[in-house]
């Protein structure tokens, strides 16, 4: 029996840096407040909470004063920084540099195209933390779409500037782009210079789709570990499922069942960019225990 952990699985660079930073701060302070879940992985949150990390909601954050608050890799809208200034909150800002750069690009484009009545459109999950941070760069004006079914939210008589949440699917971005182009061409006096597409999916995620497809294809069974709220986890699991119907989505080692690994010669273990490596190793150990 072959059991292989996907060498490309585990934290992406942004999440890895954020966790390292949180651990450094936890070594200096007994309690650190984290605005929202530090990573979309319940198991990793549990581990850090045992060290003193306290996850707070936005409602709780607004009432907090004179404290230290950790900002996760997803980034934040300007309002979060304003509240910190008003309430004497010291921020430990672990926003991923790739997300910060995207925020700046969107902000500057929004300011540039205001006069032309241009619309900033972002392909992403409404309500997702990264999306809130990106929309915040546009005074809340950006239009969020997560599917080609939502395209009626766009006014095709006005210029369109399409961006993407960093963790979305490249394939779906291209489908949305194609549909927007189709709608636009249906207009009588369409002017293609009014459409601009910026595929801003993070390289760490974009490249993983093709890699994980191959990985899932070469094994009999795939155990894919991810938090249920991870947007990137959903995208990558769908890729696994398409490549290999015997792919199982699991959130903790307790969900690994013996039946999952029956009648097969090779098992692949993979996960999202928010899945810790220790969890992948624990899953491998559990599978080995069924085989011994
Ligand atoms: S997926 Fe990319 S952009 Fe998002 S946190 Fe990870 S490294 Fe940063």
């Amino acid at each position: 029996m072959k059991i292989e952990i996907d060498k490309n699985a585990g934290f992406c660079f942004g999440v890895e840096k954020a966790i390292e930073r949180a651990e450094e701060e936890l070594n200096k302070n007994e309690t650190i407040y984290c605005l929202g879940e530090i990573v979309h992985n319940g198991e990793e949150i549990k581990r850090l909470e045992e060290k003193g990390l306290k996850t707070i909601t936005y409602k709780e954050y607004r009432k907090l004063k004179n404290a230290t608050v950790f900002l996760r890799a997803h980034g934040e809208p300007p309002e979060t920084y304003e509240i910190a200034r008003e309430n004497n909150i010291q921020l430990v800002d672990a926003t991923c540099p790739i997300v910060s750069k995207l925020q700046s690009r969107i902000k500057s484009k929004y300011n540039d195209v205001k006069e032309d009545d241009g619309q900033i459109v972002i392909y992403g999950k409404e309500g997702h933390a990264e999306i809130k941070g990106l929309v915040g760069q546009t005074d809340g004006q950006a239009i969020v779409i997560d599917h080609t079914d939502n395209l009626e939210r766009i006014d095709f008589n006005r210029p369109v500037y399409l961006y993407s949440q960093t963790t979305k699917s490249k394939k779906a971005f291209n489908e949305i782009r194609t549909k927007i182009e189709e709608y636009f061409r249906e207009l009588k006096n369409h002017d293609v210079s009014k459409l601009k597409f910026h595929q801003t999916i993070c390289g760490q995620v974009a490249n993983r789709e093709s890699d994980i497809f191959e990985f899932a294809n070469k094994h009999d069974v795939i155990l894919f570990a991810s938090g249920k709220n991870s947007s990137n986890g959903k995208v990558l699991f769908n890729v696994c499922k398409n490549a290999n119907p015997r792919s199982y989505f699991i959130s903790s080692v307790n969900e690994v069942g013996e039946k999952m690994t029956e009648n097969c010669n090779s098992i692949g273990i993979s996960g999202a960019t928010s899945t810790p490596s220790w969890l992948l190793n624990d899953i491998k150990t559990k599978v080995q225990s069924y085989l011994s």
Side-chain angles (χ1 to χ4, degrees), residues 105-159:
R105 279 180 72 183
I106 288 182
K107 186 184 169 98
S108 122
K109 181 59 79 181
Y110 171 68
N111 289 329
D112 288 353
V113 303
K114 253 193 223 165
E115 272 189 21
D116 283 343
D117 210 16
Q119 303 158 99
I120 303 290
V121 179
I122 307 172
Y123 161 48
K125 187 180 167 199
E126 215 158 350
H128 187 281
E130 184 187 316
I131 285 292
K132 286 186 186 162
L134 299 177
V135 172
Q137 309 307 315
T138 65
D139 301 324
Q141 297 301 308
I143 298 163
V144 179
I145 48 167
D146 68 353
H147 199 268
T148 47
D149 293 348
N150 306 142
L151 296 182
E152 79 284 348
R153 294 178 186 171
I154 304 170
D155 178 352
F156 289 98
N157 291 300
R158 291 163 53 198

Side-chain angles (χ1 to χ4, degrees), residues 12-15 73-74 96-99 130 166-167 202-205 273:
C12 65
F13 140 90
V15 171
H74 291 315
C96 170
I98 298 169
V99 176
E130 184 187 316
T166 59
T167 49
C202 171
Q204 295 229 337
V205 180
T273 51

Side-chain angles (χ1 to χ4, degrees), residues 34-292:
C34 179
L35 183 54
E37 294 185 337
I38 187 163
V39 61
H40 295 305
N41 191 283
E43 299 295 301
E44 182 65 358
I45 293 171
K46 220 192 296 166
R47 186 184 76 83
L48 291 167
E49 287 186 342
E50 277 161 15
K51 292 186 166 200
L53 192 78
K54 196 172 178 325
T55 307
I56 54 168
T57 62
Y58 281 82
K59 202 171 161 194
E60 289 167 321
Y61 176 67
R62 282 192 190 94
K63 292 183 197 150
L64 205 64
K65 288 194 168 64
N66 312 317
T68 302
V69 175
F70 184 87
L71 303 184
R72 56 200 172 166
H74 291 315
E76 288 295 326
E79 190 200 1
T80 300
Y81 296 87
E82 280 155 29
I83 293 172
R85 276 191 295 275
E86 284 163 14
N87 292 354
N88 192 32
I89 289 172
Q90 199 197 328
L91 294 177
V92 178
D93 191 348
T95 303
C96 170
I98 298 169
V99 176
S100 297
K101 204 169 158 201
L102 178 57
Q103 287 186 345
S104 308
R105 279 180 72 183
I106 288 182
K107 186 184 169 98
S108 122
K109 181 59 79 181
Y110 171 68
N111 289 329
D112 288 353
V113 303
K114 253 193 223 165
E115 272 189 21
D116 283 343
D117 210 16
Q119 303 158 99
I120 303 290
V121 179
I122 307 172
Y123 161 48
K125 187 180 167 199
E126 215 158 350
H128 187 281
E130 184 187 316
I131 285 292
K132 286 186 186 162
L134 299 177
V135 172
Q137 309 307 315
T138 65
D139 301 324
Q141 297 301 308
I143 298 163
V144 179
I145 48 167
D146 68 353
H147 199 268
T148 47
D149 293 348
N150 306 142
L151 296 182
E152 79 284 348
R153 294 178 186 171
I154 304 170
D155 178 352
F156 289 98
N157 291 300
R158 291 163 53 198
V160 172
Y161 301 86
L162 179 72
Y163 292 84
S164 173
Q165 181 181 332
T166 59
T167 49
K168 295 303 269 184
S169 145
K170 225 174 166 180
K171 186 170 165 268
F173 178 90
N174 288 332
E175 281 166 12
I176 286 171
R177 176 189 174 140
T178 307
K179 272 275 171 225
I180 290 179
E181 282 172 328
E182 274 172 30
Y183 280 132
F184 198 67
R185 283 205 194 92
E186 284 169 15
L187 295 177
K188 258 192 198 154
N189 299 316
H190 68 265
D191 168 4
V192 278
S193 70
K194 285 189 174 174
L195 278 188
K196 292 277 182 258
F197 301 103
H198 306 274
Q199 195 268 72
T200 49
I201 294 159
C202 171
Q204 295 229 337
V205 180
N207 300 339
R208 279 210 63 203
E209 287 184 40
S210 49
D211 292 346
I212 208 168
F213 187 90
E214 269 180 41
F215 182 80
N217 222 351
K218 73 176 183 184
H219 291 288
D220 297 334
V221 166
I222 291 293
L223 301 178
F224 182 87
S226 166
K228 292 194 172 70
N229 295 332
S230 166
S231 156
N232 161 256
K234 282 176 199 153
V235 170
L236 293 178
F237 179 66
N238 280 336
V239 176
C240 286
K241 259 299 208 206
N242 286 336
N244 185 337
R246 279 192 78 183
S247 296
Y248 297 96
F249 188 100
I250 47 181
S251 298
S252 83
V253 74
N254 300 332
E255 292 174 23
V256 180
E258 199 166 358
K259 274 205 153 62
M260 293 175 179
T261 59
E262 274 174 357
N263 304 322
C264 68
N265 293 317
S266 75
I267 299 169
I269 301 170
S270 191
T273 51
S274 50
T275 306
S277 301
W278 61 260
L279 180 56
L280 302 172
N281 288 322
D282 284 2
I283 291 169
K284 183 174 179 182
T285 309
K286 179 93 181 256
V287 172
Q288 281 167 333
S289 77
Y290 290 139
L291 303 173
S292 59

